Amino acid sequence: MENVVGDRVLIAVQAVNISRLSTHPVPTVPGTLIVVAGAGPKDSNGAGKSSFIASITALLGDEQWRFASGAKAVSELLFNAELASGAGGRQWASADHGYIVGVFAPPGMNGFPADDAQPAPVDEPDAVPADELLLVDSDEAGGELFEVPDTSGGALTVWLRVNQEAPHLEIRWREGVHLAASPSEAERVARADEIWASLPKSAGKRDVVARDLTKALYGDRIRCVSFLSTSVRSKVATNLLSQPLNEISPERVFEAIAALTGLDAELEQEREARRDEHAKRVRAAQAGERLAEFEAESKALLGTFDRRDEARVRLAEALRCWRGRQARKLADAAAKDDALAAELDRHRAAGEAAGEAIALVRAEIGTLREDTLDRQVSEARKELAALQARAAKLDADRAVADNSADELRGRIPALEQSRRFADGRDVPAAELELREARLRLNEALKALGVADQEVASAQAALDDAEGGPAAAQLNALAAAGVGATGLLDALDVAEQARDNATHMPAQAGLPGGGQAVGQVVGLRGWPHEHAVIVDAARLGEAAEALAGLPGSVLVSAAGVSVVGAFEGVATGREARIKAAEQRLHRAKDAQETAAQAVHDAEEAVAEAQRRLDGAQAGVRLAEVEAKLAERRARLTELNAAVEELAPKVAEAERLAGALDFRARTRDMEIERLEGRRQRHESERAQARDQEAKVAAEREALRLDALAADWGGTVETARQWLEALPEEERPRTADEWWRVAERHFDQALRDTFPEEDAEIPEELAFLLNERGGSTAREQATFAAVCGALASYLRGQEEYERHQRRQIEAQLGSRQRDLSAAARGAEEAAQSTAVHRAALTAAIRARLTRVAEEFDKLDTSYGGYGATLEFPVPPAPADPEQRWQWRVTPKWRRGEGQGFVPYNRRANTALMDEKAVKLVCAAAIASSGGGHLCLVLDELGRNLGKEHRREAVALFRRIGETYGITVIGALQDDMEPYAIDACGQYVKLRRSSDAMPYNEPPVIVGHDQHAERVRALAAYVERTAI
């Protein structure tokens, strides 16, 4: 079902749970200017003007709501408790659904059938509260609004259910007037749900939803164009009346005209077509990439399969070559066995001949060894050895005697020389003299020691006498400038009183010529060595000077200060020095005498020692001469024995040499025969070794095992080899092995080309075991070939299945690529055709807007206007909107050229042209049918002196062209618009604490006053 509204026009609107709007129905006068004012808690804001006009645009199918995408933005119009009032979140609940209800009636329905219930017409426009326009339902009606075919006059009621969740819009309708009529707001909300439930579903078993709203209700006709604020819709078209026209760019001018004329939807379709083209091209490219990728992957996989097929062929060839090796080995082994058998016979014959020769030689050697020559040679050698030993002993004894005599003769001269020092004394006399000399030497040494001690003592006494015992004290007092004399140096004591005097008078001269007389007490024990004599007047200074020498003694007329003690007695310095010098001289003289005596004693000891040595040498000389006589007699005896034994030794040597010659001759013959025997034994051993070697070689040929490996006899192996091609017959077993190994290695690489390929466990074990040597490789070759063949057989069926799958996938993907390429080409062609058609449509639409713009300008005081709109190139980016530029132009005088809109001009002219341009776009978009132009913030940018003219122009244009202009306005526009509009609607909300509006006030002006009354009566009558 399409275009159910048809040519009907909107005559009443009711909102339920839409923003904070009241649920009272609001009649609308088609074909004039309807202004919507507001009275909020402080000013016009907060009364719901924008929500009211937005709900009308949704009801009339304004494409800016994007119905094709589900019109989710319409759900934002639902009542929100938090936004409705400050305490709304606690006192009220947000609505999860609501209704926008519209009553449509045929156009030109200026009068309605008379009825008793119709109120009397009024003579002048009055403000009529909306709750007085509809009567409360009678009791017998049950409070329902129902269709009255006789009185409806062809009216149609459309219900839009707005849901918070998808589907966001559901549409139902019914012939007649069906509004929710009840005494209170809450009852009207409840009645709305009941009426919705009673309405038939618009699409049979389901409801029409947002994407089909415009088609189902209005067909292909545009019934509404609008400029809405951002508070009710996220995407807002440029409002040509919200700012000076010359401040709007040509691109935004086009966007505004496109929104008014419905071109934005077609532009969006063009962008969708470009998106679709781009998506299809991307899909085609992706299909190509996927095909190429799959071909690459399948090529690699098929390459793997081909390599495995080749591996199967190579493995079969490797097994054939391995069989050829076995056949060749068996044939060669059989031929070699025949040759070895003949050679074995030769070696056996050679061994038997060598054994016979060895027996003859052994007989000859035995004959030679039976002679008695060896015994004779042995006896002769023994006799010769005995004689030679005896002669050697005599020679040794003679040499020893001769050497001993020579030694004795060498000792005689020295002994004779030493004997002369004895001076005729014998040994005991010489020893007695030596003892006496040594005693005298000891006595002299003792005397010398005593003399040395006396010299040292005398020298020490002289040193003490010259230095004085109180030298340190005298030096200290001299340094302090105090005159002093040593006490012992100043005293003269009688010699006879030195040793035993305990008290003796003493007189000492003081420095400066005075005398100190006193008793010297205990000279032997009194500490007087360090005593000094000083003047009594300077005793204090002397004590200070000697403070650093503890133990000093000061003697003065005032008394004696004892500080230390002395060990000896010495008086009279010069006398003491002279006595010490005399003592020293006497000691030195005694020392020299003692030293000379020591020297003489030492000379005497040396002489006595020489005499003793001479006497002892005479004794030894007599002994040597006696021994020498004995040696000479022994030499004579030995020389006689040697001369007697020499002929016997010569005869024994001759006899032994002759026998030895005969023995050497015989041994040489035996040696020659032994060499012959050894040669024959070597020949026999070599023959036996060769025989064993040949037998081992024959055993090593393992003909039985080779025949078992071949699986037949030697003859069948030779026949198989004879059947080979000419170029393969000469191959040796090693050549067959190398070819087989090469084929196997290639088959293994073809089967597992990657180094990290997963190899079956058995095969991996065999491959690991066969490494290290050729013998191990050959021993495991058959087993590893069998394991590889088993693996290839297991993979063969899978690979055939994979080949079939790959062929099917390639065909499918190639078909997909062809389809995607065709789709991309068709999309490109469709986009080009659509763009060409859209270009023509846009140019036609803009041309019509330009024509209407020129008509309006010339009809309402202008000199003509037009639009300039060059065709822009389509953007390459599929997400970019096709941006057009529209430049309005007009004449400023009769016969003048067109001037672009962005040239400087007065504000009134700009406002006038903007109004005319908006109306021209609306007229052009109507297509000759009824159109509703909805404007938010009407005249906000108009100057005060031009507001009334602009509003009046909207009214005249609307009434002239049958356009219903609905405009929401602020407080400052209300005085200018209330007198110039055809219908005035005021929404009221007195407090922020009230979540819902109060009943609106509707006023009809001039001839529209009766229209408002008639509509009220019509709605009232059809609701009963």
Side-chain angles (χ1 to χ4, degrees):
M1 182 178 295
E2 295 182 7
N3 197 16
V4 296
V5 175
D7 294 332
R8 298 181 179 91
V9 295
L10 182 67
I11 62 170
V13 178
Q14 185 178 24
V16 179
N17 283 340
I18 299 301
S19 185
R20 58 173 61 93
L21 298 177
S22 170
T23 57
H24 294 86
V26 178
T28 59
V29 178
T32 187
L33 173 62
I34 303 175
V35 296
V36 181
K42 297 179 180 179
D43 49 23
S44 62
N45 294 320
K49 302 187 300 298
S50 297
S51 300
F52 177 73
I53 62 174
S55 62
I56 292 177
T57 60
L59 178 64
L60 295 178
D62 185 1
E63 281 298 332
Q64 294 190 50
W65 287 107
R66 298 188 179 277
F67 293 105
S69 300
K72 184 178 185 303
V74 179
S75 63
E76 298 176 6
L77 297 177
L78 289 172
F79 173 75
N80 188 308
E82 294 181 358
L83 300 178
S85 65
R90 295 187 300 270
Q91 299 178 1
W92 306 89
S94 298
D96 59 353
H97 70 278
Y99 302 96
I100 302 175
V101 186
V103 179
F104 295 87
M109 189 172 156
N110 295 324
F112 296 93
D115 189 84
D116 295 338
Q118 180 176 348
V122 296
D123 297 332
E124 57 182 16
D126 293 324
V128 182
D131 55 354
E132 298 180 5
L133 297 179
L134 294 178
L135 300 179
V136 179
D137 296 340
S138 62
D139 294 336
E140 56 183 336
E144 289 198 23
L145 297 174
F146 53 89
E147 181 180 0
V148 183
D150 297 338
T151 59
S152 65
L156 176 73
T157 304
V158 176
W159 282 66
L160 266 64
R161 179 183 170 98
V162 183
N163 300 311
Q164 191 67 44
E165 303 295 335
H168 299 290
L169 280 185
E170 295 175 294
I171 302 97
R172 295 181 183 179
W173 59 81
R174 177 180 287 178
E175 294 290 340
V177 179
H178 301 278
L179 300 175
S182 290
S184 66
E185 293 278 353
E187 292 175 353
R188 283 192 288 273
V189 172
R191 291 294 299 147
D193 290 333
E194 295 174 3
I195 294 174
W196 172 262
S198 66
L199 295 176
K201 293 185 177 181
S202 52
K205 295 182 179 181
R206 63 176 182 85
D207 290 317
V208 174
V209 292
R211 65 175 180 271
D212 300 322
L213 181 145
T214 55
K215 185 176 182 181
L217 295 181
Y218 311 111
D220 296 330
R221 295 172 58 184
I222 297 175
R223 298 297 299 267
C224 178
V225 293
S226 66
F227 287 133
L228 298 182
S229 66
T230 57
S231 61
V232 293
R233 190 163 52 197
S234 57
K235 181 177 179 182
V236 182
T238 302
N239 190 343
L240 296 178
L241 304 177
S242 63
Q243 63 187 102
L245 184 62
N246 56 357
E247 295 179 2
I248 302 175
S249 65
E251 291 83 3
R252 296 183 64 194
V253 171
F254 171 76
E255 291 178 0
I257 295 175
L260 290 171
T261 58
L263 289 177
D264 53 350
E266 297 183 11
L267 287 171
E268 188 63 29
Q269 292 176 3
E270 188 274 340
R271 181 160 63 178
E272 289 294 334
R274 278 190 285 116
R275 287 176 181 167
D276 181 64
E277 176 189 357
H278 176 72
K280 289 183 178 179
R281 289 188 182 277
V282 169
R283 284 196 294 272
Q286 291 175 348
E289 292 175 357
R290 286 194 297 270
L291 177 60
E293 182 179 357
F294 182 77
E295 286 178 344
E297 293 176 355
S298 60
K299 183 179 180 181
L301 196 58
L302 291 174
T304 302
F305 296 161
D306 293 339
R307 284 196 301 271
R308 288 182 180 172
D309 290 340
E310 184 66 22
R312 294 182 180 93
V313 175
R314 289 186 179 275
L315 183 60
E317 184 64 18
L319 292 173
R320 189 184 75 85
C321 292
W322 176 255
R323 187 163 178 78
R325 172 183 177 275
Q326 292 173 328
R328 174 58 64 191
K329 285 187 67 176
L330 180 59
D332 292 348
K336 188 174 182 180
D337 184 70
D338 295 340
L340 289 175
E343 186 178 356
L344 182 62
D345 293 339
R346 291 196 304 272
H347 290 315
R348 285 175 179 172
E352 292 175 357
E356 293 175 359
I358 289 170
L360 293 176
V361 172
R362 282 180 176 174
E364 291 181 7
I365 292 174
T367 301
L368 290 175
R369 286 181 174 173
E370 290 178 356
D371 197 358
T372 60
L373 182 61
D374 290 337
R375 188 169 57 255
Q376 294 175 356
V377 171
S378 177
E379 292 176 355
R381 286 179 177 174
K382 289 180 180 179
E383 182 66 21
L384 177 61
L387 292 174
Q388 288 177 342
R390 183 179 175 187
K393 186 176 183 306
L394 291 175
D395 287 339
D397 292 343
R398 186 174 60 180
V400 170
D402 192 12
N403 290 336
S404 178
D406 290 342
E407 182 183 357
L408 292 173
R409 283 194 295 270
R411 293 169 60 187
I412 289 173
L415 292 174
E416 289 178 347
Q417 181 68 24
S418 297
R419 188 180 60 180
R420 286 195 295 271
F421 289 104
D423 293 337
R425 294 175 176 83
D426 56 4
V427 173
E431 290 178 348
L432 179 61
E433 289 181 358
L434 179 59
R435 286 195 296 274
E436 292 175 353
R438 285 178 175 172
L439 290 174
R440 288 193 296 271
L441 176 60
N442 290 335
E443 292 295 332
L445 288 173
K446 290 178 180 180
L448 179 60
V450 172
D452 289 342
Q453 186 176 5
E454 179 62 21
V455 169
S457 178
Q459 183 66 45
L462 178 61
D463 292 340
D464 290 341
E466 288 177 352
Q473 284 79 2
L474 292 174
N475 290 334
L477 292 173
V482 179
T485 302
L487 176 62
L488 298 182
D489 293 338
L491 292 178
D492 290 327
V493 180
E495 189 68 24
Q496 64 275 8
R498 288 182 182 270
D499 297 327
N500 51 11
T502 56
H503 298 286
M504 66 170 292
Q507 182 177 358
L510 295 173
Q515 294 290 326
V517 181
Q519 296 291 327
V520 177
V521 181
L523 291 176
R524 180 65 61 181
W526 184 64
H528 50 268
E529 287 185 350
H530 300 151
V532 291
I533 302 171
V534 296
D535 191 357
R538 307 192 70 178
L539 184 59
E541 296 179 16
E544 260 180 55
L546 296 178
L549 296 170
S552 300
V553 178
L554 296 176
V555 179
S556 68
V560 177
S561 296
V562 180
V563 181
F566 300 88
E567 295 178 356
V569 176
T571 60
R573 184 173 183 271
E574 292 180 0
R576 288 187 293 109
I577 292 173
K578 184 177 180 181
E581 288 176 351
Q582 291 175 358
R583 180 185 174 188
L584 178 61
H585 290 326
R586 287 193 302 271
K588 286 183 177 180
D589 291 340
Q591 184 184 27
E592 289 176 359
T593 302
Q596 184 63 39
V598 169
H599 181 267
D600 294 341
E602 289 176 348
E603 290 291 335
V605 170
E607 182 64 21
Q609 185 66 44
R610 285 194 298 270
R611 288 171 181 170
L612 177 60
D613 292 339
Q616 292 175 348
V619 176
R620 290 196 297 274
L621 180 59
E623 293 175 354
V624 168
E625 288 176 348
K627 290 180 179 180
L628 180 60
E630 293 176 359
R631 298 295 184 274
R632 286 174 179 172
R634 178 64 178 165
L635 282 174
T636 302
E637 293 176 357
L638 291 173
N639 287 331
V642 168
E643 290 176 358
E644 181 182 359
L645 187 61
K648 296 180 180 179
V649 172
E651 181 61 22
E653 288 179 349
R654 186 191 64 77
L655 180 60
L659 292 174
D660 190 43
F661 177 75
R662 287 177 58 189
R664 285 197 303 270
T665 302
R666 186 205 62 181
D667 291 340
M668 289 176 62
E669 182 63 19
I670 292 175
E671 184 178 356
R672 185 181 64 81
L673 293 174
E674 286 289 343
R676 185 187 300 176
R677 181 184 63 79
Q678 289 177 359
R679 286 195 302 273
H680 289 314
E681 288 182 353
S682 175
E683 289 174 358
R684 185 178 64 179
Q686 185 177 3
R688 288 177 178 175
D689 291 342
Q690 291 296 326
E691 182 181 352
K693 182 178 179 181
V694 170
E697 288 181 0
R698 292 189 69 188
E699 184 68 21
L701 291 176
R702 299 172 62 249
L703 286 175
D704 295 339
L706 293 176
D709 292 341
W710 162 249
T713 63
V714 176
E715 292 301 325
T716 58
R718 289 172 178 169
Q719 292 173 2
W720 189 88
L721 292 173
E722 290 295 330
L724 291 173
E726 189 67 27
E727 63 275 6
E728 291 184 350
R729 290 177 189 174
R731 286 182 181 174
T732 64
D734 290 340
E735 290 174 346
W736 280 110
W737 160 247
R738 286 193 293 271
V739 174
E741 180 70 9
R742 186 166 59 251
H743 283 301
F744 172 75
D745 289 342
Q746 187 61 43
L748 186 63
R749 286 194 297 272
D750 290 341
T751 306
F752 306 104
E754 295 83 7
E755 293 183 0
D756 56 347
E758 184 176 356
I759 301 177
E761 184 176 356
E762 178 185 2
L763 180 59
F765 174 77
L766 292 173
L767 290 174
N768 186 52
E769 287 294 319
R770 71 190 303 263
S773 66
T774 303
R776 295 179 66 181
E777 291 178 353
Q778 293 175 354
T780 58
F781 186 79
V784 75
C785 285
L788 182 59
S790 176
Y791 174 76
L792 290 174
R793 283 194 300 273
Q795 295 292 321
E796 189 171 8
E797 181 62 30
Y798 167 74
E799 291 173 4
R800 283 198 297 267
H801 176 70
Q802 285 293 98
R803 285 181 185 275
R804 291 193 296 269
Q805 291 291 328
I806 289 171
E807 291 173 0
Q809 285 289 329
L810 282 175
S812 175
R813 292 175 185 270
Q814 288 171 353
R815 289 191 297 272
D816 291 344
L817 177 60
S818 299
R822 286 194 304 272
E825 185 64 27
E826 292 173 358
Q829 295 176 359
S830 175
T831 302
V833 171
H834 185 273
R835 187 178 298 116
L838 179 60
T839 301
I842 292 174
R843 289 179 59 85
R845 190 71 55 84
L846 294 178
T847 300
R848 184 156 182 242
V849 172
E851 293 173 354
E852 296 295 336
F853 188 27
D854 183 67
K855 290 179 182 178
L856 290 175
D857 189 61
T858 54
S859 299
Y860 296 98
Y863 301 99
T866 188
L867 299 177
E868 184 179 289
F869 42 89
V871 179
D877 186 0
E879 297 298 327
Q880 186 177 354
R881 185 181 175 89
W882 194 12
Q883 191 66 57
W884 285 63
R885 295 169 56 90
V886 173
T887 304
K889 295 183 177 181
W890 52 78
R891 293 187 179 94
R892 295 189 177 183
E894 192 67 41
Q896 294 183 1
F898 290 103
V899 178
Y901 77 103
N902 49 14
R903 297 286 178 84
R904 181 175 296 179
N906 60 72
T907 306
L909 181 62
M910 285 293 177
D911 296 341
E912 177 192 346
K913 301 303 182 185
V915 172
K916 292 177 179 178
L917 180 58
V918 170
C919 293
I923 294 171
S925 64
S926 64
H930 186 79
L931 181 71
C932 183
L933 174 61
V934 181
L935 304 173
D936 199 4
E937 304 294 342
L938 177 64
R940 180 177 59 182
N941 189 54
L942 301 177
K944 294 182 180 180
E945 63 277 12
H946 309 298
R947 291 178 175 178
R948 183 175 287 104
E949 290 79 358
V951 173
L953 182 59
F954 271 121
R955 177 179 178 180
R956 291 197 300 273
I957 292 174
E959 292 176 350
T960 301
Y961 291 92
I963 298 174
T964 301
V965 181
I966 302 176
L969 46 81
Q970 293 291 340
D971 297 342
D972 55 350
M973 275 295 295
E974 190 172 357
Y976 307 99
I978 195 170
D979 295 331
C981 66
Q983 181 180 352
Y984 173 82
V985 178
K986 188 157 190 174
L987 306 178
R988 299 179 298 170
R989 180 167 172 263
S990 59
S991 172
D992 285 332
M994 297 178 60
Y996 292 102
N997 287 1
E998 300 173 7
V1001 175
I1002 299 98
V1003 177
H1005 293 273
D1006 302 333
Q1007 72 273 20
H1008 299 300
E1010 294 300 328
R1011 174 80 174 187
V1012 171
R1013 292 289 184 182
L1015 284 173
Y1018 178 72
V1019 171
E1020 174 188 337
R1021 183 181 68 249
T1022 56
I1024 298 176

